[in-house]
Amino acid sequence: MNKVLLIINVLLLAAVGYLYYLHYNYTSADEKKHASEKAAVLNSFKIAYFELDSVQNNYEYYKVVRDDLTKKDQANTQKLNKIKQEYLNKYQEYQKKGPQLSEKEQNDYQQMLMKLQNDYQEMNENVSNEMNAEATEKLQSVKKKIEDYLKGYCAMKGLAYVFAASDRDNFLYYKDTIRNITFDIIKGLNEDYKKTRIK
């Protein structure tokens, strides 16, 4: 009877060992499968960046918008400087003639100077508001063109995320693991801009 029990115990021990082996082998295979699926997901999540400063310096449409805004700003500055100079000239004239002028003439000069000063302040405020509104509108247009281009570019290249990096913002990223698509973006944006100019 002891021999039978011994044989049964050995068989049971072997069976339990075999079941442990199957359990841990299955878990290990399951973990390997899970790890490979996770790696596949991570590999499919592609990220790229472009250098915003380079796009701003090389995107033709942006340069046209920037130059147009600069010219308008310079023209507005000239208008404001003209009023300012007129004010200074009248003020100096008033200072020279002041003692010789009658009370009515002095009042006329003071009213003229006050009107020039008010004109300058009003024009400065109007010009500033107009320039801010126009700059915002035009720069939003540039941003929209870049965003629209990036949507198509990401779909074509299988990118999950693209972000802009700028030297001025001190944005930290590790370039070796992320694709730099600046050249592609500039080239594509300029090609799109040329197409819209031809139409």
Side-chain angles (χ1 to χ4, degrees):
M1 187 78 171
N2 273 343
K3 283 186 179 183
V4 173
L5 278 175
L6 182 66
I7 291 172
I8 292 173
N9 281 339
V10 168
L11 286 174
L12 284 173
L13 186 63
V16 168
Y18 181 69
L19 288 173
Y20 272 118
Y21 168 75
L22 285 176
H23 172 73
Y24 285 111
N25 191 30
Y26 177 77
T27 304
S28 177
D30 192 39
E31 286 173 357
K32 286 178 186 174
K33 182 182 173 190
H34 183 68
S36 68
E37 286 173 355
K38 192 174 179 183
V41 168
L42 287 173
N43 287 336
S44 69
F45 188 75
K46 294 181 183 174
I47 299 174
Y49 75 95
F50 65 93
E51 294 165 356
L52 188 59
D53 298 336
S54 294
V55 170
Q56 289 175 338
N57 291 331
N58 296 291
Y59 180 25
E60 293 302 323
Y61 179 59
Y62 177 78
K63 290 196 281 189
V64 167
V65 167
R66 182 187 58 203
D67 293 347
D68 183 46
L69 290 172
T70 301
K71 284 176 189 170
K72 285 188 176 177
D73 189 46
Q74 289 171 346
N76 289 333
T77 301
Q78 285 179 346
K79 287 179 192 174
L80 288 168
N81 285 342
K82 186 177 177 184
I83 295 174
K84 192 176 189 180
Q85 191 58 50
E86 191 178 345
Y87 173 83
L88 289 173
N89 291 342
K90 290 293 178 186
Y91 182 75
Q92 289 171 353
E93 186 180 302
Y94 174 66
Q95 291 294 325
K96 286 178 188 172
K97 293 182 177 178
Q100 303 161 4
L101 296 174
S102 67
E103 192 174 323
K104 184 189 179 315
E105 290 172 326
Q106 285 182 2
N107 284 337
D108 290 344
Y109 261 102
Q110 288 172 356
Q111 285 179 358
M112 187 189 316
L113 289 170
M114 195 177 293
K115 184 184 181 316
L116 286 171
Q117 193 172 23
N118 288 339
D119 288 349
Y120 177 83
Q121 288 173 346
E122 189 178 316
M123 186 177 195
N124 189 25
E125 192 174 315
N126 289 340
V127 161
S128 180
N129 290 339
E130 286 171 15
M131 279 301 295
N132 286 340
E134 187 173 353
T136 300
E137 181 185 330
K138 289 191 173 184
L139 292 174
Q140 283 294 337
S141 169
V142 171
K143 183 181 175 190
K144 175 98 170 78
K145 284 186 182 290
I146 293 172
E147 285 174 348
D148 289 346
Y149 179 78
L150 285 175
K151 283 177 191 171
Y153 184 88
C154 288
M156 184 176 66
K157 299 288 185 177
L159 295 170
Y161 187 71
V162 173
F163 64 91
S166 173
D167 293 338
R168 292 176 299 220
D169 295 338
N170 297 322
F171 194 84
L172 299 175
Y173 50 89
Y174 186 56
K175 288 186 180 180
D176 292 345
T177 59
I178 302 173
R179 282 181 37 205
N180 182 347
I181 58 171
T182 306
F183 178 76
D184 288 350
I185 297 298
I186 293 168
K187 183 180 175 195
L189 284 168
N190 284 332
E191 285 172 1
D192 280 359
Y193 177 61
K194 284 177 189 170
K195 287 177 194 171
T196 58
R197 286 182 60 196
I198 292 170
K199 290 179 183 178

